[in-house]
Each structure stands twice: as C-alpha cells, then as structure tokens.
Amino acid sequence: MKRRTLLKAGLGGVGAAALGAGGTYGWWFSSADIDTAGRVDFSSRLPIPPLAPARRDAKGRKVFELRAAPGEHRLRPGRPTATWGINGSYLGPTLRAARDETVLVHVRNGLREPTSLHWHGMHLPARMDGGPHQPVEPGRTWSPTWTIDQPAATLWYHPHPHGETARHVYRGLAGLFLLDDPKTKPSGPGDGALPHHYGIDDIPVIVQDKLLDDDNQLVESHPRLSEVGLLGDVICVNGTTGPYLPVTTERIRLRLLNASNARVYDFGFTDDRHFALVGTDGGLLPAPHRTTRIQLSPGERAEIVVALRPGERTVLRSFPPDLGMNFMSRRFTGGDDTLDILELRAARTLRPSPRLPDQLATAPALAARNASVDRKFGMAGFAINGKSMDMRRIDFAVRRGATEIWEVTATDETLHNFHVHDVQFQVLSVDGKRPPPELAGWKDTLHTRPGVPYRLALRFTDHSDRTMPYMYHCHVLYHEDQGLMGQFVVTEPDEKPGSAPEGHHHEP
Ligand code: C2O
Ligand code: CU
C-alpha cells in the first residue's frame, strides 16, 4: 500500500513539475527516451536455441531434461555477463511436442534458491502448471507430466516463483515450447504452407531488453521514476546483442516472443515492408493478415512471414508503441523508444518457398450467448479489484464445462496487460467494438490500454482441481511480483472450492 502511494505520488509530482517549472524534471523527461535507429552494429550471427533432445520412456511419454543453473554468457563483446540459464548459460532449449503426445519434463534446480518453471500458454492440470504453488527447491527435481491438447502454437516457459519472477526471467531463465498439430496445419496440393524448417526458415526470435553496467553485468535495480520496473537500453535476441540472420529462402517465418520484463515492442521493418501475421499466442490466425506492424507486450507472441529478394537487407525494428497513455507516463514506460532489433541478410540466391496458404486455422468461436458467468476485473496499482495476490486466497471458482465472459479494464495511467493460465481466450470486443485482426485468434496475454474495457470469452473444459489454483495476472513482471495477480480453481459442477495449499514465499 505504502509503495503504491509513493509511486503514484512520485510520478504525479514529476508530471506536474515538468509541466510547470521544467528544470531537473524537464531534463529527466527529455533524456528518458531511447533511439538506436541505424546505430546498432549487427555483427553477431543470431544464435538459434537448440531443440531439446527427448527420449521415449516405457509409457511412450516424450521425456525432456531441464536444469536451471548460474552461468556466464557473452551477451555482447567484452566481458561475459553473470547470468542464469537452462541447460546452458543463458535462456533454454526449445521444447517441441505434438498434439496428443504426453510429455514428461524433469526440471532440476541447480540454483541456490527456489525457482519454478511455468508453461506459459499451455492447457494442463493446475498441479503441472509450474506456478508459485510448484516451487522447486535447490538441488531438487520437479517432474510434471501432461498430454498436449491444443492447436499448434508458439508457447514459452519461464520461472514463476512468488515475488521473484522478474529477477529470475531477467537473469536468463526462459525458453520456447513449440506445439505442432498435424490435424490443423495447412496441407494438401494448392494449400500452400508456412515455412517450418526450424533454424532455417522458421526462426525463434526471443526479444529482451537489458541494462548492462560498464563491466557488462546486469543492472537489476530500476529507476525511481519507472512505474513498470526495469526498461533496458540494450536489446538481446536469443541472448545476443547486434544479431544478424542469414536468410537462404524466399520467405521466412519469425516466431517473435516478447520475453522482456516490461517493454512493449511495436515490430516492423525499417523499409516499412509488408509482412503476413500468421499466428498469435495460442496458434495460427484464421487467415494471414497483411500488415507493417505488430505490437507485443510482455509475454505475447506473434508469428510473421516475411519475403526477401536475393541479396537484400532489412532490419527488424521496434517503433514507438501505442501505449494509450498520457505523454508523461508514456515517456517513462518506453512509449517513445525506437530500437533496432535484428538484421535480415538475404543470400544472393534464395531457395523457393511455398506460397502462403489463404486459410490457416478455424477462428475461435466461443458463443457468448452460452456464457454462464460474467466477471469484471479492474487492474490498478498492484491490485486486481482492489486485492493484491495472497497465495492462500482463492479469488473465485470456475465450473468445469463453463464458458465465461471476463471483462478486463486497466484503470490507472500505467502499463498493464492481462494473462490467464490454463486456457487460451477469445477477444470478443475492445471498447465495445470488434477486435482488430491481430486479436482474431487465440490469446493468453493481452495488452490492456488504460480505461479501455476488453471482453474475453474463456472455456474451461477439463482439469478440475478444487484446491490447486491457476493464476491470472499482469505480465509486467514487476507488477506481478508486487501482487497484481489472482487465483482461481476449476471445480466439478457440484463441488465447492477448497482452500489453497500453504503458500511458499521465498524472502531474498
Ligand atoms: Cu508467463 Cu503466469 O505467466
Ligand atoms: Cu501491470
């Protein structure tokens, strides 16, 4: 409570002073934006996170081994940075599984403090979710198992320890989890196809911003004026600064993941070329959407297909994102920043790519008229509907089988987004209007502009558990750590929710 008031007073005061007297505050304002357009030296080949090897156990499950541990990583030339990584010094391998496959992941904690691994975007039982109720103690192994039961999508994994997520992700614990779905991918003659050769024409692009000190070490404290926590001025893609990607085919698919703590990116190309947006958080869009920009808040993903001509170069850039905020808040939330991300370098001859399919997937159609429950969520400060996260409080219960409508509104002048565990949702409306094309597919994370109501439809088909909750929260990691989070359980229709398991709270 105290912190929240201070923050509010802090920024409000600065705003007033900058508008009035100027002076020091004016200087802070004018030096708070970042512009690296044309100033990034793209001299490191983009590393591609390796595909995690898997074995089959006697039960036919696909078994992965992951181990989180400290390491040293060359984020940029010069001294290596002390980092954390999974099966390596920074980030983790890409897990891959197909619909109907059962996976088993051994997650070993090689750190000196508890962590967890959450499968962001995955539909699975709450006990396997890797949220704050599934901490992995140092030296221990946690082994969740579940059956993949959702369309092809670009999901990801990252720690979710209560109050510590920002630090754990920032130090390097994150990776992709790609889902394939043989049943829904475009196939057959004339259908076209999406580029799908991992690391060749199907490229993971994990974007993160960092603050590095003169010794190349991660700065972990954030400036007083920031209401969103840490915003970096150095961009890493797949753990490398100044990356370039050699392109060898006519078209490439980029799987963009915003794995940053707080930064919103508005991706496009420096020459404003068009690209096709083909997928979002939970899978492919109904049809490719031709555009020049795609904006992603923390935790969101987008799959785009871009065409190149032989020998040409272009740069993936983040343009100033539309945060829907007043000029003062926007400036201190990265809303005026321009950042060069990744250079694409096409070879002199390019191998032909299949043409883009006209149709990709069936549109979500959770009929709103069958919805049984209407809930409202107001996000402000570090609370949802005035309540901060309490590991022992279950905020509500959802009946298995229900379709619900959730209306989410951020009511203060800062950056929030909204993420739900367990299910992918359909965006029904934005401010009462039809959602834009980029919100036409399945989503699990949504940027919520100040004062704008977003209506979502969610269906809870299975995985009931009356005591183990799923989380919903703001994915600005500082906000989430400060308590902008709630918990719900899925119960059988005739069941009462239980009480949540004892909270595990790690004090640093
Ligand atoms: Cu990506 Cu609850 O988080
Ligand atoms: Cu927030």
Side-chain angles (χ1 to χ4, degrees):
M1 199 59 217
K2 194 167 150 220
R3 237 191 267 200
R4 186 170 140 202
T5 327
L6 275 177
L7 263 169
K8 286 224 152 136
L11 203 58
V14 171
L19 286 167
T24 318
Y25 295 125
W27 179 82
W28 274 342
F29 182 84
S30 60
S31 60
D33 64 328
I34 304 167
D35 184 355
T36 67
R39 288 196 267 140
V40 173
D41 174 21
F42 295 105
S43 54
S44 309
R45 190 183 169 128
L46 179 74
I48 304 295
L51 285 171
R55 61 183 170 83
R56 295 270 165 201
D57 71 1
K59 291 183 179 156
R61 296 180 296 194
K62 197 167 185 180
V63 185
F64 296 99
E65 314 264 349
L66 298 180
R67 179 171 182 268
E72 287 214 314
H73 189 78
R74 210 169 285 276
L75 287 174
R76 69 174 176 193
R79 232 192 109 192
T81 305
T83 52
W84 288 357
I86 295 166
N87 300 2
S89 56
Y90 189 80
L91 295 178
T94 297
L95 307 191
R96 189 151 204 170
R99 194 167 197 158
D100 297 332
E101 258 186 321
T102 299
V103 297
L104 167 65
V105 193
H106 296 300
V107 178
R108 270 171 66 199
N109 183 359
L111 304 169
R112 307 239 296 269
E113 60 185 270
T115 190
S116 84
L117 269 196
H118 164 60
W119 320 105
H120 181 126
M122 196 77 74
H123 175 53
L124 78 184
R127 279 163 210 277
M128 308 300 171
D129 193 40
H133 292 281
Q134 289 85 40
V136 192
E137 297 299 322
R140 303 297 287 270
T141 300
W142 174 62
S143 303
T145 178
W146 70 95
T147 302
I148 308 295
D149 181 21
Q150 65 194 94
T154 302
L155 310 186
W156 65 302
Y157 59 89
H158 63 79
H160 214 302
H162 186 51
E164 302 295 333
T165 298
R167 192 166 50 88
H168 286 216
V169 174
Y170 187 64
R171 289 187 179 182
L173 302 184
L176 285 173
F177 202 137
L178 305 186
L179 299 185
D180 300 307
D181 185 354
K183 275 180 279 189
T184 61
K185 83 162 178 249
S187 62
D191 265 11
L194 296 173
H196 57 272
H197 298 287
Y198 185 78
I200 296 167
D201 62 5
D202 181 357
I203 311 291
V205 180
I206 305 174
V207 183
Q208 299 177 301
D209 57 337
K210 302 289 174 199
L211 271 182
L212 296 172
D213 67 15
D214 293 342
D215 242 358
N216 272 359
Q217 300 311 298
L218 291 170
V219 176
E220 296 187 346
S221 57
H222 61 80
R224 258 187 328 128
L225 285 183
S226 174
E227 288 194 313
V228 295
L230 198 133
L231 285 171
D233 55 2
V234 173
I235 298 296
C236 291
V237 183
N238 301 347
T240 293
T241 57
Y244 68 87
L245 173 72
V247 173
T248 56
T249 55
E250 290 170 352
R251 279 192 258 288
I252 54 164
R253 173 194 202 164
L254 301 178
R255 297 186 190 244
L256 303 168
L257 159 64
N258 181 352
S260 307
N261 285 35
R263 185 174 285 287
V264 177
Y265 301 91
D266 192 16
F267 293 108
F269 292 91
T270 43
D271 51 12
D272 267 331
R273 72 179 54 208
H274 282 84
F275 55 84
L277 175 70
V278 297
T280 54
D281 302 342
L284 297 177
L285 290 178
H289 167 57
R290 200 175 124 84
T291 183
T292 57
R293 296 283 188 277
I294 178 66
Q295 186 165 312
L296 297 182
S297 69
E300 289 185 292
R301 290 86 66 208
E303 297 183 29
I304 65 172
V305 175
V306 52
L308 281 95
R309 279 192 296 272
E312 80 174 338
R313 293 185 178 190
T314 187
V315 171
L316 178 71
R317 170 175 291 169
S318 175
F319 296 88
D322 170 18
L323 302 180
M325 293 175 179
N326 67 44
F327 80 100
M328 181 54 64
S329 301
R330 184 178 78 217
R331 170 65 55 113
F332 292 100
T333 312
D336 293 330
D337 297 352
T338 304
L339 297 152
D340 277 0
I341 311 278
L342 168 69
E343 186 180 55
L344 305 183
R345 296 184 185 171
R348 274 176 206 292
T349 52
L350 297 175
R351 273 180 287 129
S353 300
R355 70 170 190 85
L356 268 189
D358 303 326
Q359 234 126 67
L360 296 166
T362 40
L366 301 181
R369 66 190 119 77
N370 294 334
S372 49
V373 187
D374 243 308
R375 301 184 195 278
K376 282 196 163 41
F377 301 84
M379 295 190 281
F382 300 131
I384 302 179
N385 296 342
K387 285 183 187 155
S388 269
M389 167 76 166
D390 177 344
M391 297 266 296
R392 283 156 306 182
R393 184 190 71 236
I394 287 174
D395 293 273
F396 57 90
V398 163
R399 293 237 161 112
R400 184 180 58 76
T403 300
E404 299 201 347
I405 307 295
W406 293 11
E407 186 177 294
V408 185
T409 315
T411 57
D412 58 4
E413 267 293 314
T414 183
L415 171 69
H416 299 297
N417 66 8
F418 190 74
H419 168 53
V420 189
H421 289 209
D422 182 37
V423 291
Q424 295 285 334
F425 52 78
Q426 177 188 354
V427 182
L428 295 175
S429 68
V430 178
D431 213 2
K433 292 184 273 293
R434 244 180 86 151
E438 66 272 19
L439 298 180
W442 294 109
K443 293 284 293 170
D444 58 52
T445 308
L446 178 76
H447 178 205
T448 49
R449 290 182 175 80
V452 176
Y454 294 77
R455 281 177 76 78
L456 320 177
L458 310 86
R459 181 172 290 162
F460 300 87
T461 45
D462 47 14
H463 301 321
S464 67
D465 186 329
R466 55 190 285 274
T467 59
M468 188 57 78
Y470 294 105
M471 311 295 128
Y472 56 95
H473 57 89
C474 174
H475 217 286
V476 171
L477 302 184
Y478 171 62
H479 291 177
E480 146 175 13
D481 281 345
Q482 295 296 319
L484 214 170
M485 176 152 27
Q487 321 190 85
F488 68 96
V489 289
V490 178
T491 60
E492 287 301 311
D494 49 3
E495 219 178 24
K496 287 234 153 54
S499 51
E502 244 329 278
H504 169 103
H505 193 158
H506 169 70
E507 300 291 347

